[in-house]
Amino acid sequence: ITDAVVAARILNATLVVPKLDQKSFWKDSSNFTEIFDVEWFIRSLSKDVKIIKEVPKKGGKVMAPYTMRVPRKCNVKCYLSRVLPVLLKKHVVQLTKFDYRLANKLDTDLQKLRCRVNYHALKFTDPIREMGKKLVRRMRERSRHFIALHLRFEPDMLAFSGCYYGGGDKERADLGAIRKRWKTLHTSNPDKERRHGKCPLTPEEVGLMLRALGFGSDVHIYVASGEVYGGDATLGPLKALFPNYHSKETLASSEELSPFSSFSSRMAAVDFIVCDESDVFVTNNNGNMARILTGWRRYFGHKPTIRPNAKKHSSLFPNRENMTWEAFASKVRLNQKGFMGEPKEVKAGRGEFHENPSTCICEDSEAKERAKSGNGGLTKVEKGVGKDIVEPSDDLVSDDEPEWPDMDYGEKLSMPEGKELNLDYNLFFKPEDQPEFEEILSD
């Protein structure tokens, strides 16, 4: 959605409110207006891009859009050469399968537009926000501070990853049957995937990691997740490590959750709010929701975000029984250096924009002076938009960034034919702008 607004700006086109796919594997019937405040979205971006709710009518009939797909990581030149000529000719263009269809690095003005959209224009609807705040209040009533864990351990996610978790023939049969949904998946090599850091930590492993990092058994933990493979048997060790275990279902009644429980996107939105409000956010994966929450927490003040260094942990966890707890905890802490959400941890411009929105986080003269004097520290900046980032040294940047499949609450990278997830965006072209675009093309 954020990138669709930027694409409309590049094309000088009017954006039709995004249409969310309702035919994917999860079959979530939610539309844009049931997740986001559409009036706020249109109004707050009125100086950047014109946005309308529906495709206009011409001669009493809705103008039929021309459907096309742009390449992944398409930059400004790409949009002007590939999409603009079609837009000039067809007047209405629908861009489908729109995830990662815009380049990560753009000019500063376009990056800042991304920030205005992502951090200010996209606001959840009142019912979602109220439910999220209610859960946060109930967590605070139980404990002044709490951890939020985004736990990706659904059966389809594990099947897609190609990882193996020691469940024997049953696990291989269960996940093997699910893997058949994706005809294009490569042959599974679980050991290789784990060595490369592409296997999400199990609930027990992420619990052990947190205990090794110093979080005691009295800490309250909110777990945001879908269906966990293995159910209570899989979650049991995590609950034993952190008895103060909470979720949407334990904090709210089924009646309170009924407006959301049948819609994966709305449930994810509620979890997003609680995770963002947590004192420490932890993830066992590197999917879209984890990345966006990481960026959100950087943008609004560098609240701690712990990501597991799965690549280095891959050999540690299987051998934990062969060492003392002190030795194991020491190795965990060593492995986690550079993965603890410190302000200087990620170099400006490195990684995905949504995870590291450095272009949008201001740095004032006082911060620069502190950086020179070695004081470090953070300070609030204009309008409270974010905190300063001191330019990191290269030794704080790690190359051990794992890449897990981006499938959050229903995202699918590659579904069977007829079931792939498409996020559809309609872009309506204003005919009066044609001379300007022809001049751009001629240049």
Side-chain angles (χ1 to χ4, degrees):
I1 295 170
T2 297
D3 290 349
V5 173
V6 178
R9 173 70 169 266
I10 291 170
L11 296 165
N12 198 20
T14 295
L15 174 70
V16 179
V17 169
K19 291 184 178 180
L20 308 181
D21 174 59
Q22 299 174 344
K23 299 178 182 179
S24 66
F25 176 75
W26 289 72
K27 296 181 173 61
D28 186 335
S29 61
S30 301
N31 58 39
F32 185 97
T33 60
E34 290 167 321
I35 300 172
F36 299 107
D37 184 333
V38 68
E39 300 298 337
W40 173 264
F41 179 69
I42 293 173
R43 186 170 63 252
S44 61
L45 294 171
S46 59
K47 294 183 179 180
D48 297 295
V49 173
K50 182 178 179 182
I51 304 173
I52 58 179
K53 294 181 180 179
E54 300 289 343
V55 178
K57 292 183 178 180
K58 185 176 183 180
K61 295 182 179 180
V62 175
M63 299 174 67
Y66 178 85
T67 301
M68 64 179 294
R69 184 176 296 180
V70 295
R72 285 173 64 88
K73 306 294 184 181
C74 195
N75 58 21
V76 172
K77 184 177 180 181
C78 170
Y79 273 92
L80 293 178
S81 63
R82 289 174 179 260
V83 183
L84 183 56
V86 179
L87 194 55
L88 289 168
K89 184 176 180 180
K90 301 292 185 180
H91 305 293
V92 183
V93 172
Q94 178 174 273
L95 303 180
T96 66
K97 187 75 173 172
F98 205 72
D99 54 327
Y100 296 97
R101 302 291 150 170
L102 185 65
N104 186 48
K105 294 183 179 180
L106 300 171
D107 290 343
T108 299
D109 286 346
L110 293 178
Q111 297 289 58
K112 289 184 176 180
L113 174 57
R114 263 179 166 158
C115 286
R116 286 196 292 279
V117 181
N118 197 38
Y119 303 114
H120 301 281
L122 283 172
K123 184 169 71 173
F124 292 129
T125 60
D126 287 343
I128 289 174
R129 292 167 64 208
E130 289 167 6
M131 188 72 245
K133 290 178 179 178
K134 184 181 294 185
L135 296 183
V136 172
R137 283 198 303 273
R138 290 175 183 176
M139 284 299 297
R140 296 289 183 204
E141 288 168 0
R142 287 158 174 78
S143 176
R144 183 180 175 186
H145 304 289
F146 72 92
I147 293 173
L149 166 62
H150 183 233
L151 183 65
R152 295 303 318 282
F153 213 71
E154 299 89 345
D156 61 313
M157 196 271 190
L158 298 184
F160 192 96
S161 71
C163 299
Y164 174 67
Y165 290 94
D169 292 340
K170 185 180 185 304
E171 179 184 325
R172 292 188 181 93
D174 291 345
L175 302 186
I178 298 173
R179 282 178 64 84
K180 292 178 181 177
R181 293 175 185 167
W182 296 284
K183 297 178 181 179
T184 58
L185 280 185
H186 55 77
T187 302
S188 175
N189 186 336
D191 292 337
K192 180 180 178 182
E193 298 302 304
R194 184 168 291 277
R195 288 197 305 272
H196 288 179
K198 295 185 177 181
C199 294
L201 268 60
T202 68
E204 180 181 19
E205 287 172 343
V206 76
L208 288 169
M209 179 187 75
L210 289 172
R211 291 297 297 273
L213 291 172
F215 294 95
S217 61
D218 59 334
V219 169
H220 286 249
I221 184 169
Y222 177 90
V223 178
S225 72
E227 174 194 0
V228 172
Y229 179 68
D232 289 338
T234 302
L235 288 171
L238 175 62
K239 291 180 178 180
L241 289 164
F242 292 96
N244 297 310
Y245 177 103
H246 310 279
S247 66
K248 295 184 296 296
E249 291 75 17
T250 66
L251 294 172
S253 67
S254 55
E255 289 76 18
E256 288 175 307
L257 289 175
S258 60
F260 317 98
S261 56
S262 298
F263 307 96
S264 58
S265 296
R266 298 181 215 181
M267 292 287 270
V270 171
D271 275 338
F272 187 100
I273 293 170
V274 184
C275 289
D276 179 51
E277 290 290 334
S278 66
D279 297 281
V280 178
F281 173 60
V282 186
T283 174
N284 76 325
N285 67 92
N286 200 37
N288 282 336
M289 184 163 169
R291 289 181 179 185
I292 293 172
L293 266 164
T294 299
W296 187 274
R297 291 167 69 86
R298 281 196 175 112
Y299 183 79
F300 285 109
H302 282 300
K303 291 183 286 186
T305 298
I306 299 175
R307 301 170 299 137
N309 187 343
K311 189 173 182 179
K312 288 189 176 179
H313 290 329
S314 64
S315 60
L316 176 62
F317 282 101
N319 296 310
R320 67 181 181 275
E321 300 295 339
N322 299 324
M323 62 185 79
T324 64
W325 172 256
E326 290 74 17
F328 172 76
S330 176
K331 289 180 181 295
V332 168
R333 292 192 292 271
L334 182 63
N335 289 348
Q336 281 298 122
K337 286 186 176 180
F339 287 76
M340 296 295 289
E342 296 293 333
K344 297 187 291 183
E345 193 172 85
V346 182
K347 190 173 182 178
R350 181 182 173 88
E352 289 293 334
F353 176 83
H354 295 94
E355 185 177 9
N356 185 30
S358 58
T359 309
C360 309
I361 302 176
C362 302
E363 183 177 305
D364 62 13
S365 56
E366 291 182 10
K368 291 177 181 177
E369 287 302 317
R370 282 198 309 278
K372 290 177 182 178
S373 63
N375 291 334
L378 303 172
T379 185
K380 292 182 179 178
V381 295
E382 184 180 359
K383 297 183 180 178
V385 165
K387 305 272 187 172
D388 299 312
I389 293 183
V390 179
E391 182 71 16
S393 59
D394 290 336
D395 61 344
L396 290 174
V397 179
S398 172
D399 289 321
D400 294 320
E401 183 65 37
E403 294 182 3
W404 284 296
D406 297 321
M407 301 185 299
D408 288 311
Y409 291 88
E411 293 176 73
K412 303 292 176 187
L413 287 183
S414 176
M415 289 299 299
E417 187 174 354
K419 287 189 176 180
E420 67 182 5
L421 174 61
N422 286 332
L423 300 180
D424 295 338
Y425 302 90
N426 299 323
L427 300 177
F428 175 66
F429 173 66
K430 295 176 291 184
E432 63 266 27
D433 293 326
Q434 184 164 343
E436 179 183 346
F437 280 119
E438 288 178 345
E439 182 177 343
I440 293 173
L441 287 172
S442 65
D443 290 340

